[in-house]
Amino acid sequence: MESISITARGLRRSFGQTVALKDVDLSFTAGHMHGVIGPEGAGKTTLMRLLLGLLKPGAGTVEFSQAGKPVDFDIVRPSIAYMPQQQSLYPDLSVGEHLDFFKELYGIERKAYEVKRDELLEITRLGSFVSRPAGQLSGGMYKKLGLMCALLRSPRAMLLDEPTNGVDPISRREFWELLYRLSDQNILIIVTTAYMDEAERCGMVHLLEQGELVAEGRPRELLMKENVRTFDELFLRRGGHG
Amino acid sequence: MKLFWGRAGAVARKEVFHILRDPFALAAALGLPVLMVIIFGISIEFNMKDIPLAVNDADQTRSSRMLLDRFASSGYFGIRRVVSPHQAVAELTDQKARAALVIPPDFESDLISGRQGQLQLLIDGSDNSTVGPVSNYVNRIVGAGAPALYDLRTRYLFNPELDSRWFVIPGLTVVIMAILSILLTALTIAREWENGSMELLLSTPVRPVELIVGKLAPYGVLGIIAIAFVYVIARAVFQIPFVGNLAVFGLGSLLFLITYLAQGLLISVVARNQQVAMQLAMVTGMLPSNLISGFIFPIESMPTFFQYLTMLLPARWFMRIARDTFLQGSGLIELKVPFLALTFLCFAMIFLATRKFKRDLEP
């Protein structure tokens, strides 16, 4: 299946008096790992939800294209995986039961599922925890399970909302290694994060601050342009909290 | 001690903030008691008025008319004239009357010749809530003045021994089903919203109808098993007779179950949090099915407005179906009104629950 690209034009969304996203133009191109970086409250989760149609924009549009041709969201929806920021798995269901559940939701055939399941359990190293309830997994394992559920359907685009939030450094590194593997498969990956060091791991970064897109580009080029060494430094200079 | 009060005070302040910032909880805490006292206080009435009384006056004499005038002027009864004792029984079976008075042809001649005037009173024994007041009011009217004037023979139809369990247990089926179905489903979607899994579910290709059917099906099966349990216990343990058609009872149970499951789902979709869903389930499901469905308090004794209001209550209609199939042997023809009403409510609930079900995270 062809890769998916997403373009947001003039995206705006308010909650009451608070403007969460202010006329944002963004382009997420297929085959890249995009990092949406910003401190808490920058509008990252709102952006993800708007891209997925989980929230309606106050203004602006979200357009999808596949192999360079515009397509309706409903057509690409089955190929887009999402991992919300909030813990959203079922604490009483085991790792294996989660995978079985999402297999049915995605309508994956038994044989293909078994191959995918074994592959995912191997790369996440959760094979020996198949019968452990999600509520009893460590933070890192829990996130990996979330990622496995998202990856089951072999998506062409993945939207991950702060997937490493609250995870220990070793698990974070393992998680990023998993993402690198995926980006090698020409999948569009959009990751939001408040960890500035993670910005440098992305192919493209988009800096959000108080609902506005303040900068974007390749990490190195961006740092050079802003004349800083790290993204932490960049945000501190801009007066962010990250 | 000072530290204790300081900490307890801090916790209390925090809770006050929670309450004040949750308008629904505040409204529920302050508004619901007022609403419930008004609704249940007005609608629950032990004293009955205008009880429909089928009267077959085969004597048609001055004495019989005088007796009937006393019934009519008492305020307790609304007279429904019928032409035969057979029709009087039919009025009871069709629930058009709660009791029937049969005056035989030689009523006045017996009185003139110094004998007691024969009277037969038929009371619907399947509804114990009306039996006591009806007997009491009739005895008061007939026995006023000269107790020995009339020979009143009372027969209780459908529950000759007036065994209260015959009355209570079929009704309990309704209450148990209402509690089970509405509570379980009211919490199910709200739980998904509360723990964040709904966001993930909404991002999958699963369609609302698939989610609804998937959510309801296990509770539907649980409900059917529960009905079967209640039926078996009623029959085997309490020896309650079942004179009706099991398929009719089963159909009514299924309709009622689906209606309340859909109502629970509607609550769950609207509430989005388990605490609020629980409160709504209590107020719209459990309490009405106990208090204004006719389970304990007769609907006829409620003010007219509330009698109409109970028509919106699925429990009211299934109460009738359960009791009448158990004790009176009523079929689909006799129960056409409850079945039609329940079917309408069932479709309305499914329609509302599906319509309210959101495919996004918009508030």
Side-chain angles (χ1 to χ4, degrees):
Chain A
M1 202 182 192
E2 300 289 345
S3 285
I4 294 165
S5 295
I6 306 174
T7 307
R9 294 184 206 280
L11 219 47
R12 169 178 276 266
R13 174 67 203 224
S14 306
F15 296 98
Q17 298 295 313
T18 311
V19 183
L21 222 51
K22 295 173 193 165
D23 308 320
V24 169
D25 291 304
L26 278 165
S27 192
F28 302 106
T29 45
H32 285 88
M33 192 188 301
H34 292 260
V36 177
I37 321 289
E40 284 172 17
K44 303 185 294 293
T45 298
T46 302
L47 173 67
M48 296 295 247
R49 289 174 172 173
L50 286 168
L51 295 181
L52 283 159
L54 294 173
L55 287 176
K56 294 183 184 80
T61 56
V62 178
E63 292 155 18
F64 297 84
S65 63
Q66 206 166 18
K69 291 177 186 166
V71 283
D72 278 348
F73 174 56
D74 286 338
I75 291 171
V76 291
R77 181 199 280 265
S79 310
I80 301 176
Y82 175 51
M83 198 175 142
Q85 179 187 2
Q86 199 182 351
Q87 294 214 343
S88 51
L89 301 174
Y90 302 95
D92 56 326
L93 292 192
S94 70
V95 171
E97 286 165 343
H98 269 96
L99 295 176
D100 290 345
F101 173 59
F102 282 94
K103 170 223 167 230
E104 296 297 339
L105 290 193
Y106 301 145
I108 305 168
E109 283 181 17
R110 165 70 43 194
K111 276 193 174 174
Y113 164 69
E114 282 170 358
V115 172
K116 191 78 185 176
R117 179 180 187 268
D118 292 346
E119 180 195 329
L120 289 172
L121 286 170
E122 192 190 328
I123 61 171
T124 55
R125 288 186 292 203
L126 285 180
S128 49
F129 301 96
V130 173
S131 52
R132 183 176 288 192
Q136 292 174 22
L137 295 174
S138 70
M141 287 177 179
Y142 187 94
K143 295 286 183 179
K144 281 180 187 171
L145 175 58
L147 186 66
M148 276 205 293
C149 293
L151 288 174
L152 261 187
R153 59 173 130 173
S154 302
R156 301 314 301 161
M158 289 191 66
L159 279 68
L160 311 170
D161 193 7
E162 303 207 18
T164 55
N165 193 14
V167 175
D168 67 82
I170 295 169
S171 297
R172 273 174 65 191
R173 196 179 63 205
E174 285 180 356
F175 199 90
W176 275 98
E177 281 166 10
L178 283 173
L179 295 186
Y180 285 136
R181 276 192 189 213
L182 293 170
S183 66
D184 289 344
Q185 296 167 25
N186 202 30
I187 297 174
L188 166 64
I189 300 176
I190 306 172
V191 187
T192 70
T193 180
Y195 295 128
M196 294 304 139
D197 58 306
E198 292 186 339
E200 291 169 49
R201 296 174 182 267
C202 301
M204 284 288 287
V205 288
H206 312 268
L207 267 61
L208 280 182
E209 202 177 290
Q210 294 179 343
E212 287 183 89
L213 180 70
V214 291
E216 62 181 337
R218 295 182 182 280
R220 287 278 141 220
E221 291 168 10
L222 205 57
L223 291 176
M224 281 173 65
K225 189 178 154 192
E226 298 281 338
N227 199 24
V228 288
R229 281 176 302 165
T230 64
F231 279 91
D232 277 325
E233 208 180 318
L234 173 62
F235 262 93
L236 286 171
R237 182 189 286 179
R238 297 190 66 90
H241 315 287
Chain B
M1 198 60 183
K2 193 179 168 191
L3 207 58
F4 169 84
W5 285 114
R7 286 173 185 155
V11 173
R13 262 195 307 280
K14 179 188 78 72
E15 286 308 311
V16 169
F17 289 143
H18 289 321
I19 294 166
L20 292 177
R21 287 165 191 174
D22 182 353
F24 193 90
L26 191 63
L30 300 178
L32 282 183
V34 176
L35 203 67
M36 280 158 64
V37 165
I38 291 172
I39 290 177
F40 297 125
I42 295 175
S43 57
I44 295 170
E45 170 72 80
F46 287 98
N47 299 317
M48 298 180 74
K49 287 174 186 166
D50 297 323
I51 304 161
L53 177 74
V55 173
N56 170 227
D57 181 6
D59 195 41
Q60 299 282 345
T61 56
R62 189 168 165 269
S63 300
S64 68
R65 279 194 293 274
M66 276 173 64
L67 178 67
L68 291 178
D69 282 347
R70 275 157 65 184
F71 271 91
S73 61
S74 70
Y76 298 131
F77 296 101
I79 306 292
R80 295 173 64 87
R81 298 265 181 184
V82 292
V83 293
S84 66
H86 181 73
Q87 199 190 344
V89 173
E91 291 274 299
L92 288 175
T93 309
D94 295 345
Q95 301 246 322
K96 288 176 183 163
R98 285 292 186 180
L101 185 70
V102 178
I103 305 174
D106 44 6
F107 176 71
E108 189 175 62
S109 60
D110 278 344
L111 288 174
I112 290 166
S113 56
R115 291 190 294 271
Q116 286 180 316
Q118 302 289 309
L119 290 171
Q120 188 182 33
L121 180 67
L122 304 169
I123 304 180
D124 178 357
S126 68
D127 184 355
N128 275 31
S129 64
T130 55
V131 168
V134 169
S135 301
N136 193 17
Y137 298 148
V138 170
N139 282 324
R140 216 182 284 176
I141 294 165
V142 171
L149 205 56
Y150 306 112
D151 178 17
L152 179 70
R153 305 271 170 96
T154 305
R155 234 182 90 204
Y156 302 103
L157 298 185
F158 318 121
N159 185 0
E161 303 297 320
L162 281 189
D163 187 335
S164 60
R165 282 174 305 187
W166 288 28
F167 162 74
V168 170
I169 289 172
L172 264 180
T173 316
V174 182
V175 176
I176 291 167
M177 292 310 304
I179 292 171
L180 182 83
S181 51
I182 215 166
L183 254 190
L184 289 177
T185 48
L187 298 183
T188 175
I189 298 270
R191 197 185 304 128
E192 299 271 6
W193 282 112
E194 212 168 277
N195 70 14
S197 43
M198 188 54 87
E199 186 172 356
L200 183 60
L201 281 180
L202 291 178
S203 73
T204 70
V206 69
R207 288 179 298 166
V209 65
E210 292 163 342
L211 206 52
I212 289 172
V213 170
K215 283 277 177 193
L216 293 190
Y219 298 112
V221 172
L222 266 182
I224 290 167
I225 295 171
I227 289 175
F229 277 161
V230 173
Y231 176 80
V232 170
I233 292 169
R235 301 280 286 121
V237 179
F238 294 102
Q239 310 286 318
I240 312 288
F242 185 88
V243 294
N245 184 329
L246 201 55
V248 173
F249 175 68
L251 181 66
S253 304
L254 201 64
L255 266 177
F256 178 66
L257 186 68
I258 296 170
T259 310
Y260 262 16
L261 286 175
Q263 187 173 329
L265 194 71
L266 178 64
I267 289 171
S268 205
V269 168
V270 173
R272 290 195 181 185
N273 104 42
Q274 294 189 73
Q275 195 185 351
V276 175
M278 176 78 97
Q279 287 170 337
L280 283 175
M282 288 271 292
V283 172
T284 64
M286 288 167 65
L287 289 175
S289 67
N290 267 289
L291 299 175
I292 53 173
S293 66
F295 174 49
I296 302 169
F297 308 103
I299 288 170
E300 290 86 346
S301 62
M302 295 174 191
T304 313
F305 170 76
F306 286 96
Q307 289 188 33
Y308 284 115
L309 189 71
T310 61
M311 289 179 175
L312 296 173
L313 200 63
R316 171 198 166 140
W317 302 112
F318 186 50
M319 189 66 70
R320 168 97 193 271
I321 292 170
R323 280 183 175 150
D324 288 9
T325 47
F326 257 90
L327 302 177
Q328 298 188 15
S330 304
L332 278 177
I333 305 288
E334 293 87 356
L335 292 170
K336 60 181 178 294
V337 174
F339 265 101
L340 284 173
L342 203 51
T343 307
F344 170 76
L345 289 171
C346 183
F347 278 108
M349 284 300 171
I350 291 172
F351 173 75
L352 285 173
T354 317
R355 197 182 156 87
K356 279 278 172 193
F357 194 92
K358 292 176 85 76
R359 193 77 184 82
D360 53 41
L361 301 173
E362 292 293 342

